[in-house]
């Protein structure tokens, strides 16, 4: 099946198209340190790619052991995160791959555990929103990743069987969800998720420029 033509590509968003995850980790680590608490990469990894974790402010409050103005803390952390994202570029090879997929008329979608306002807002700011046929987010399913619902929703909206789609993910939970949906999956880890177990993916690449398009049938128009 690896050499079969791919009829659609489904991208994760956070950490895959834009490295919001490293930015988020940095902003969380900085906020924890303001309160004398260390926030290590292993604390963050299990949160990546899933939407069913308790909010980080709950953990901070429990670890600090005192009353905090959590509204102020969260607002400060959000400003820090936004500044870090604004200073970042698209991840390596993303734009070139999107250009190629448009040229060979392979439709693309998003499947993200983040809310719609977050994903579409960032895609719009980068001028990428109209590149995607559909954006499936946690607002559209009862169960986000690591369950397969987001990928199944994206495939359905593309009018394709999941087996004819290629998922591009950065995290363990994302890879798990894509495979459970019946898609092939390329793992494209970032500085956070490079520490995750991505061995279940069909292929792991450091840049989407390294994706062998002929291996996944991306090198020719669907016709």
């Amino acid at each position: 099946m690896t050499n079969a033509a791919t009829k659609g590509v489904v991208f994760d968003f956070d950490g895959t198209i834009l490295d919001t995850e490293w930015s988020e980790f940095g902003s969380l680590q900085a906020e924890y340190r303001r309160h004398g608490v260390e926030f290590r990469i292993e604390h963050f990894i299990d949160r990546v790619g899933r939407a069913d974790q308790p909010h980080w402010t709950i953990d901070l409050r429990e670890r600090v052991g005192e009353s905090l103005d959590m509204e102020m803390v969260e607002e400060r952390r959000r400003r820090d995160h936004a500044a870090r994202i604004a200073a970042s570029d698209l991840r390596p090879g993303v734009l070139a791959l999107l250009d190629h997929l448009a040229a060979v008329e392979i439709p693309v979608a998003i499947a993200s555990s983040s809310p719609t306002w977050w994903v579409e807002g960032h895609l719009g700011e980068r001028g990428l929103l109209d590149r995607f046929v559909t954006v499936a987010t946690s607002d559209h399913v009862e169960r986000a990743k690591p369950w397969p619902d987001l990928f199944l929703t994206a495939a359905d909206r593309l009018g394709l069987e999941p087996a004819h789609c290629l998922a591009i993910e950065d995290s363990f939970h994302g890879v798990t969800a894509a495979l459970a949906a019946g898609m092939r999956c390329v793992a494209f880890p970032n500085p956070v998720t490079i520490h995750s177990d991505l061995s279940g993916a069909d292929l792991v690449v450091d840049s989407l420029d390294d994706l062998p398009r002929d291996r996944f049938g991306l090198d020719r128009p669907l016709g």
Side-chain angles (χ1 to χ4, degrees):
M1 179 173 163
T2 306
N3 294 318
T6 297
K7 297 182 179 180
V9 176
V10 183
F11 288 80
D12 171 51
F13 175 70
D14 290 290
T16 298
I17 292 177
L18 190 63
D19 194 0
T20 58
E21 289 167 356
W22 186 249
S23 303
E24 183 173 15
F25 171 67
S27 67
L28 286 169
Q29 187 178 59
E31 190 59 46
Y32 272 68
R33 285 176 174 173
R34 286 189 181 97
H35 301 282
V37 180
E38 190 61 33
F39 186 76
R40 297 186 176 86
I41 192 72
E42 56 265 30
H43 298 145
F44 186 63
I45 289 173
D46 193 51
R47 306 179 66 90
V48 174
R50 61 190 302 174
D52 59 346
Q53 294 289 301
H55 198 269
W56 67 270
T57 54
I58 296 173
D59 175 67
L60 177 61
R61 185 185 297 113
E62 291 176 349
R63 292 174 65 183
V64 172
E66 61 186 57
S67 178
L68 297 173
D69 184 344
M70 299 314 297
E71 184 174 343
M72 180 195 71
V73 166
E74 170 64 342
E75 179 57 31
R76 179 171 58 203
R77 204 280 310 178
R78 283 178 179 170
R79 289 197 302 269
D80 185 11
H81 189 197
R84 292 170 188 259
I85 293 174
S88 65
D89 297 322
L90 294 178
R91 296 207 59 220
V94 167
L95 191 56
L97 180 57
L98 287 174
D99 286 343
H100 172 76
L101 293 173
V104 296
E105 300 182 332
I106 294 177
V108 293
I110 294 283
S112 172
S113 290
S114 293
T116 302
W117 68 266
W118 173 265
V119 179
E120 293 192 350
H122 284 296
L123 289 174
E125 287 174 2
R126 304 281 173 146
L128 296 176
L129 184 56
D130 63 355
R131 298 288 196 111
F132 298 92
V133 174
T134 187
V135 176
T137 72
S138 57
D139 297 325
H140 305 132
V141 296
E142 291 187 7
R143 304 178 306 173
K145 303 169 191 176
W147 288 274
D149 306 40
L150 280 164
F151 285 105
L152 294 173
T153 297
D156 182 65
R157 290 180 180 179
L158 289 175
L160 298 173
E161 292 295 325
H164 295 153
C165 296
L166 176 68
I168 300 180
E169 266 287 354
D170 71 298
S171 71
F172 169 78
H173 297 300
V175 170
T176 300
L179 296 178
M183 295 185 184
R184 291 169 292 171
C185 185
V186 170
F188 175 34
N190 57 55
V192 170
T193 56
I194 194 67
H195 303 282
S196 303
D197 178 9
L198 301 174
S199 60
D202 293 86
L203 180 69
V204 180
V205 296
D206 295 327
S207 166
L208 291 183
D209 288 327
D210 300 330
L211 176 62
R213 296 169 182 174
D214 56 342
R215 175 175 172 180
F216 295 98
L218 300 174
D219 56 329
R220 55 192 181 274
L222 291 178

